[in-house]
Amino acid sequence: WGHREFARQVAFLPQHLPSAESLTGRELVGFGRYPWHGLLGRHTQADEEAVERAIALTHTEAFADRLVDTLSGGERQRVWLAMLLAQGSRFLLLDEPLAALDIAHQIEVLALIRKLCDELDLGVVIVLHDINYAAAYADQIVAMKDGRITHHGAAREVVTDAMLSEVYGTSARVHRIGDTVVVAV
């Protein structure tokens, strides 16, 4: 893919979000349409519909007319996620989307991503350091150490005492409750 086609197919959310100073939620979500018409291109009716659909899918209607910088971390993360959806990409790359969120917002964001992934048939790659969240929400887990893939597969296959020791150098234990994998000290 060329640069523009890549931008249409793959949406990326960095760990440290850029400033959205003086932008409303709707304006930020509208930036997701950039790969389709460029920075100075005019929004069409299709663009407006994509923006409104993304806002509805992420349940961010209440934040659409508020300044992004006034939102809580979880609210802000959902608006940025709406921007990715407005882009209309088939794949999402999310780098630590839970950074600096409290536990309630972490669960809310991951549940929303899981739901959107299933409903929209999106391919989603998420960088997470919380192995419990990865095991609970991911179809596949890729464990890495020193930039190399050490393990990959379903959570029940990958998350083991041996993997935790090898990758993290810890003596944490894996507990299984039915199909649920829980890592505890």
Side-chain angles (χ1 to χ4, degrees), residues 42-86:
R42 294 176 45 134
H43 275 219
T44 65
Q45 182 63 32
D47 293 318
E48 296 303 324
E49 289 170 5
V51 167
E52 293 307 315
R53 179 174 183 257
I55 289 170
L57 284 168
T58 54
H59 309 288
T60 53
E61 297 90 345
F63 317 131
D65 297 317
R66 290 182 49 197
L67 292 176
V68 174
D69 288 343
T70 67
L71 301 176
S72 74
E75 294 166 346
R76 188 177 301 130
Q77 199 72 318
R78 286 175 38 211
V79 171
W80 279 93
L81 187 56
M83 184 193 74
L84 299 185
L85 294 178

Side-chain angles (χ1 to χ4, degrees), residues 151-162:
H151 301 80
H152 61 85
R156 67 186 173 282
E157 299 163 0
V158 171
V159 182
T160 64
D161 294 350

Side-chain angles (χ1 to χ4, degrees), residues 12-56:
F12 173 65
L13 187 64
Q15 179 177 357
H16 302 289
L17 299 175
S19 173
E21 197 171 313
S22 301
L23 289 176
T24 66
R26 181 172 280 106
E27 290 168 335
L28 179 64
V29 174
F31 281 131
R33 301 304 298 161
Y34 171 78
W36 299 97
H37 53 69
L39 187 60
L40 300 177
R42 294 176 45 134
H43 275 219
T44 65
Q45 182 63 32
D47 293 318
E48 296 303 324
E49 289 170 5
V51 167
E52 293 307 315
R53 179 174 183 257
I55 289 170

